[in-house]
Amino acid sequence: MKTIAMTAAAAMIAGAAQAEIVGEYHSYDIDGVTFEGYVATNTDLETPRGTVLIVHDWDGMTDYEERRADMLAAQGYTAFAIDVYGADTDPQGFEEYRALSGAMYADRDTFRARLLGAIAEVPNITGGTENIVMMGYCFGGAAALEAARAGADIDGFVSFHGGLGLPEGQDYSNVQAPVMLFHGSADPVSGMDELAALLTNLNEAGVTHGAQVFGGALHSFTVFGSDDYDLTADQGSWEGLRAFLSEQL
């Protein structure tokens, strides 16, 4: 277990009370495969405001997801950064990232089983609650939408600059909770045409949804230190997430 004091890393968290944020790694099994996630909690709270699952990007579980989990814990949530590749994987470089994420896209049944299995694990994590939202960045955003289409019975789904395309044979008819999208207008991976198509699909399926588009923002606008990082879009989307979580949890 590691204890993480509040630092300037979470400076954008306006109004967060001083607290001790405790992070611990959590191992769990799905269909005979072991996964390792990361759970962040706020020790100053008797009762968390809810549980937020964070799905990693295509490079697997990294300190980025842990940092976001700590930031959410500072807001009073239990944050569970989940693993969909497996504890034995440690992807290094573009080709391995593409192979692992591509395997999930190619086998949607396994992809869904791992997402739904992580949701089912929430009662077993420190501070786990019945009210849950799933969110993710890039690949993780696509994963949150996959869980939504799979009918995950939770309280909301959030995509940050995620893949927005609709896989063949799928639709949004089984979505159980609101969907929120944060996207850049200059995203070269999922462009405005895909965003428009997704919003149309959500409308036609009667799914409560929202979208916040950041003008000129590129694909990875929330990834600290990346060429695409956009401070305004990052802060704006984080505030949008906080509002969505307040409504849903």
Side-chain angles (χ1 to χ4, degrees):
M1 178 183 295
K2 66 177 183 177
T3 301
I4 304 161
M6 298 222 4
T7 68
M12 71 173 67
I13 309 176
Q18 291 298 312
E20 185 176 51
I21 307 306
V22 175
E24 60 184 1
Y25 295 100
H26 178 83
S27 293
Y28 58 103
D29 293 333
I30 301 171
D31 296 334
V33 179
T34 299
F35 300 86
E36 185 176 74
Y38 174 82
V39 179
T41 55
N42 186 332
T43 62
D44 281 5
L45 297 178
E46 291 185 7
T47 304
R49 298 175 66 184
T51 300
V52 184
L53 273 66
I54 306 170
V55 189
H56 57 73
D57 198 355
W58 73 335
D59 56 349
M61 272 283 298
T62 70
D63 57 2
Y64 178 83
E65 287 77 26
E66 295 177 18
R67 184 175 178 181
R68 291 293 184 180
D70 295 339
M71 292 169 66
L72 286 165
Q75 291 297 311
Y77 300 98
T78 295
F80 182 21
I82 69 171
D83 170 24
V84 298
Y85 289 165
D88 291 337
T89 62
D90 183 21
Q92 301 294 322
F94 179 86
E95 293 301 327
E96 293 184 17
Y97 302 158
R98 183 168 63 178
L100 285 167
S101 60
M104 291 294 94
Y105 289 141
D107 185 352
R108 298 281 172 168
D109 289 341
T110 295
F111 197 12
R112 290 182 172 200
R114 293 181 178 186
L115 295 169
L116 299 179
I119 293 170
E121 185 65 18
V122 169
N124 300 322
I125 67 172
T126 302
T129 66
E130 293 183 356
N131 49 334
I132 300 168
V133 163
M134 179 178 284
M135 60 175 276
Y137 298 88
C138 299
F139 169 80
L145 295 176
E146 185 74 31
R149 294 190 297 268
D153 188 13
I154 58 176
D155 298 283
F157 306 91
V158 183
S159 169
F160 289 83
H161 44 82
L164 305 181
L166 182 65
E168 184 176 357
Q170 292 193 17
D171 59 38
Y172 284 89
S173 61
N174 201 31
V175 177
Q176 303 297 309
V179 172
M180 186 66 196
L181 308 166
F182 299 104
H183 216 71
S185 69
D187 190 326
V189 178
S190 283
M192 291 297 94
D193 54 342
E194 287 194 349
L195 177 60
L198 172 55
L199 295 175
T200 297
N201 289 332
L202 293 170
N203 258 325
E204 292 177 348
V207 176
T208 300
H209 63 280
Q212 192 169 357
V213 177
F214 299 93
L218 296 168
H219 180 58
S220 302
F221 64 80
T222 66
V223 180
F224 310 117
S226 73
D227 291 340
D228 288 357
Y229 183 73
D230 184 314
L231 178 61
T232 299
D234 181 25
Q235 291 181 329
S237 61
W238 187 259
E239 290 304 311
L241 171 67
R242 291 180 63 203
F244 182 81
L245 295 178
S246 293
E247 291 177 1
Q248 299 308 124
L249 299 179

